[in-house]
């Protein structure tokens, strides 16, 4: 009822190209979906102080902007718009079928949504990581897809292509969480190696994934979720190698 805000990537200011990120403050009743291009005349202000301001700075936000006059928007790209529709319909179905808090928790588990999730209680119990979409979701998705495509008689190359398509569609669904991005790029490199008939070395794949993602978005280096995902994966790989050597 008091309006909303979102982080906006600015591509042009008065025709000049730029790549800044700003906090867009919207009035009540004004909505912009993820992926929609917008054009507006805006007044600018410094980033807010306090904990919220520090969080915004970690995302690379350099200013706060509020529209002056009408905000013009265009449709989001079709794959993003499709996932937006799915998220809304799924959240509505969860609310119809379940009480408020279980519905919010299911939305967090399946889609990474935050509406209604009891954040304080989860943090106090140390369970907040359970309602974050992560690389584990990617593993479950691909395991099911490999089983399904195998039952349909697809060969290895067909399975790899199907997994690549499903993988990057899924990245859009929870809004490219850092751990999902890490898992998606790493898995894609492994699938491409299988398609090309190349050998796979997972530590090198993890290193290549980190380089690719940080070149694409250096601000990921300031995301705790990304760092934890990389370190956890490195720990799993080290553990696998250690147990393989100690198996005898």
């Amino acid at each position: 009822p008091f309006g909303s805000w979102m982080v906006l990537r600015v591509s042009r200011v008065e025709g000049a190209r730029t790549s800044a990120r700003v906090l867009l403050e919207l009035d009540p009743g004004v909505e912009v979906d993820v992926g929609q291009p917008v054009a507006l005349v805006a007044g600018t202000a410094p980033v807010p102080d306090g904990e919220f301001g520090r969080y915004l700075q970690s995302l690379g936000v350099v200013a706060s902007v509020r529209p002056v006059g009408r905000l013009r928007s265009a449709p989001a790209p079709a794959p993003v718009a499709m996932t937006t529709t799915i998220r809304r319909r799924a959240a509505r179905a969860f609310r119809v079928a379940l009480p408020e808090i279980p519905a919010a928790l299911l939305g967090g588990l399946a889609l990474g949504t935050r509406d209604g999730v009891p954040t304080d209680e989860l943090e106090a119990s140390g369970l907040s990581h359970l309602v974050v979409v992560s690389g584990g979701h990617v593993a479950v998705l691909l395991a099911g897809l490999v089983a399904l495509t195998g039952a349909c008689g697809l060969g290895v190359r067909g399975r790899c292509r199907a997994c690549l398509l499903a993988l990057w569609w899924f990245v859009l669904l929870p809004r490219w969480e850092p751990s999902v991005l890490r898992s998606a790029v790493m898995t894609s490199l492994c699938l491409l190696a299988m398609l090309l008939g190349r050998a796979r070395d997972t530590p090198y794949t993890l290193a290549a994934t980190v380089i690719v993602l940080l070149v694409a978005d250096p601000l990921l280096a300031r995301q705790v979720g990304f760092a934890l995902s990389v370190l956890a994966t490195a720990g799993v790989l080290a553990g696998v190698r250690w147990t393989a050597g100690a198996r005898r």
Side-chain angles (χ1 to χ4, degrees):
F2 307 108
S4 59
W5 60 268
M6 63 181 57
V7 175
L8 193 72
R9 186 188 298 273
V10 182
S11 59
R12 290 184 179 273
V13 177
E14 294 185 341
R17 293 182 63 85
T18 183
S19 58
R21 295 180 185 181
V22 298
L23 179 73
L24 175 64
E25 299 180 35
L26 297 173
D27 293 326
V30 179
E31 291 186 8
V32 178
D33 288 330
V34 170
Q36 278 192 280
V38 298
L40 67 155
V41 176
T44 62
V47 175
D49 295 327
E51 185 177 348
F52 183 52
R54 290 191 293 272
Y55 167 70
L56 292 173
Q57 289 173 356
S58 74
L59 298 178
V61 173
V62 297
S64 174
V65 302
R66 180 175 286 277
V68 177
R70 191 171 68 89
L71 182 146
R72 304 188 304 278
S73 62
V80 180
M82 183 192 307
T83 57
T84 299
T85 302
I86 290 172
R87 285 168 64 93
R88 286 176 177 165
R89 290 181 178 176
R92 194 180 306 123
F94 297 159
R95 288 194 298 269
V96 169
L98 297 168
E100 182 180 359
I101 291 181
L105 290 172
L106 182 57
L109 282 165
L111 305 171
T113 57
R114 288 285 172 271
D115 296 340
V117 174
T119 307
D120 294 339
E121 290 86 344
L122 288 170
E123 288 181 354
S125 59
L127 298 175
S128 56
H129 63 285
L130 293 180
V131 290
V132 175
V133 177
S134 65
H137 290 67
V138 174
V140 172
L141 171 73
L142 294 186
L145 187 60
V146 166
L148 180 62
T149 52
C152 293
L154 279 181
V156 173
R157 299 180 71 85
R159 293 187 206 181
C160 287
R161 294 190 182 99
C163 286
L164 280 170
L165 287 173
L167 177 62
W168 285 99
W169 180 84
F170 179 75
V171 169
L172 299 177
L173 189 64
R175 302 304 184 226
W176 42 89
E177 292 283 343
S179 56
V180 175
L181 277 175
R182 192 275 313 156
S183 180
V185 174
M186 193 172 176
T187 305
S188 296
L189 291 174
C190 291
L191 291 171
L192 288 172
M194 291 178 65
L195 282 171
L196 297 173
R198 301 291 182 88
R200 302 184 302 281
D201 189 300
T202 41
Y204 285 106
T205 305
L206 176 60
T209 296
V210 173
I211 292 170
V212 167
L213 286 173
L214 291 182
V215 167
D217 184 5
L219 289 169
L220 276 174
R222 301 173 68 175
Q223 296 288 314
V224 175
F226 178 71
L228 289 175
S229 179
V230 171
L231 291 173
T233 306
V236 169
L237 296 179
V240 168
R241 290 202 166 193
W242 179 80
T243 53
R247 192 167 294 156
R248 290 186 296 276

